[in-house]
Amino acid sequence: MQFNKPLRSGVLQKRYKRFLADIDFGDGDITTVHCPNTGAMTGCAEPGSKVWCSVSNNPKRKYSLTWELAQNSKGEMIVVNTQHANRMAGELLKTELMPQLSEWQEHKPEQRYGNEKSRIDWWGRDSDNRECFVEVKSVTLADGSRGYFPDAVSQRAHKHLNELMQVVSDGHRAIQLYMVMHQGIDSVMPASHIDAKYAELCQQAESAGVEFYAVKCIATPQEIKLERPVPVTL
């Protein structure tokens, strides 16, 4: 995935109210930008970090800039815009990078499913004509080279795992796909120290037949690229 326009670089002053951040672009003013990340963003939003933002020409937007990338004190690049995880998952399904998710007959984003009419991130049919339901999560919380999800207690993530288990019960494939959006992360596991219920549900889901995979992405101010699968430990 390439960024359509050059990103503006600046220095993060603070992130607040979940969806806002103040950034110094070196033009003498502090600019408020949109932060498209509802998580805690631990380790991704340290004041003084170098950041990159995209620019929108939409006159209806209150904030014309969107925070896309951050660089931590180790020089590692992090994708803070969680919407890109779904886009990169879509690119993954077109490749043979992960054999378990390749050679699909078709795939579509944001499809309604389940009794609660939720939206699955990706739906498709594999080479055996089985329906496949893929829930995508963006992983940016790092402890050394280990990545954790979630970075805050997430009732929504609990709901998604329960729905994936129902998908398996209905005779379909259900997949929890972690897109690693942090350069320093080389493996993924549930953050039991943050959300013990989520970690418990992951183990239940695996026992029920839900498949767990993770793929690492690498970002630059020009593009985000798929790199390689990484292990998931439940």
Side-chain angles (χ1 to χ4, degrees):
M1 186 203 97
Q2 292 189 331
F3 292 106
N4 295 329
K5 301 177 182 178
L7 302 183
R8 288 189 65 185
S9 63
V11 177
L12 178 67
Q13 303 302 295
K14 63 178 179 178
R15 181 241 186 166
Y16 56 102
K17 294 183 180 178
R18 296 176 73 190
F19 296 107
L20 299 177
D22 285 348
I23 295 175
D24 182 358
F25 290 103
D27 54 7
D29 294 314
I30 302 300
T31 302
T32 300
V33 308
H34 173 57
C35 175
N37 190 316
T38 61
M41 293 182 67
T42 304
C44 306
E46 301 302 316
S49 299
K50 188 172 183 179
V51 298
W52 288 263
C53 297
S54 58
V55 182
S56 171
N57 295 324
N58 185 350
K60 296 182 179 180
R61 285 188 49 159
K62 183 175 182 179
Y63 303 104
S64 62
L65 283 86
T66 299
W67 185 8
E68 302 286 356
L69 309 174
Q71 187 176 49
N72 65 16
S73 60
K74 297 180 181 179
E76 297 164 338
M77 297 294 287
I78 307 163
V79 181
V80 300
N81 186 340
T82 56
Q83 296 175 4
H84 295 319
N86 279 6
R87 295 180 181 126
M88 296 309 297
E91 289 195 10
L92 174 68
L93 296 178
K94 299 175 184 178
T95 73
E96 297 182 357
L97 185 63
M98 177 163 281
Q100 300 92 328
L101 301 179
S102 65
E103 299 182 357
W104 285 26
Q105 298 181 40
E106 59 178 322
H107 55 269
K108 300 177 182 178
E110 299 289 334
Q111 298 297 299
R112 294 282 187 185
Y113 79 111
N115 295 330
E116 299 184 35
K117 298 301 179 182
S118 299
R119 285 186 182 273
I120 194 71
D121 291 317
W122 287 93
W123 171 91
R125 291 187 184 275
D126 63 16
S127 56
D128 295 323
N129 202 36
R130 293 181 64 190
E131 285 192 66
C132 305
F133 296 78
V134 184
E135 182 64 39
V136 179
K137 300 298 183 188
S138 175
V139 180
T140 59
L141 177 59
D143 182 1
S145 63
R146 181 172 292 170
Y148 290 96
F149 183 88
D151 66 357
V153 175
S154 176
Q155 297 295 329
R156 188 167 181 264
H158 301 174
K159 172 187 171 183
H160 290 157
L161 283 176
N162 282 317
E163 289 175 329
L164 289 178
M165 284 188 271
Q166 184 59 51
V167 163
V168 174
S169 179
D170 292 340
H172 311 302
R173 285 182 68 187
I175 297 156
Q176 176 61 77
L177 176 61
Y178 299 107
M179 299 303 293
V180 176
M181 311 302 274
H182 188 303
Q183 184 180 351
I185 293 175
D186 291 318
S187 64
V188 176
M189 67 185 305
S192 58
H193 58 299
I194 294 174
D195 191 339
K197 179 62 176 179
Y198 179 79
E200 178 185 338
L201 284 171
C202 283
Q203 293 182 344
Q204 293 178 15
E206 183 186 40
S207 296
V210 176
E211 304 168 45
F212 287 79
Y213 305 113
V215 173
K216 182 174 179 176
C217 298
I218 295 295
T220 69
Q222 290 74 43
E223 63 180 349
I224 305 171
K225 297 191 299 183
L226 299 166
E227 188 184 56
R228 59 186 169 87
V230 295
V232 178
T233 303
L234 301 179

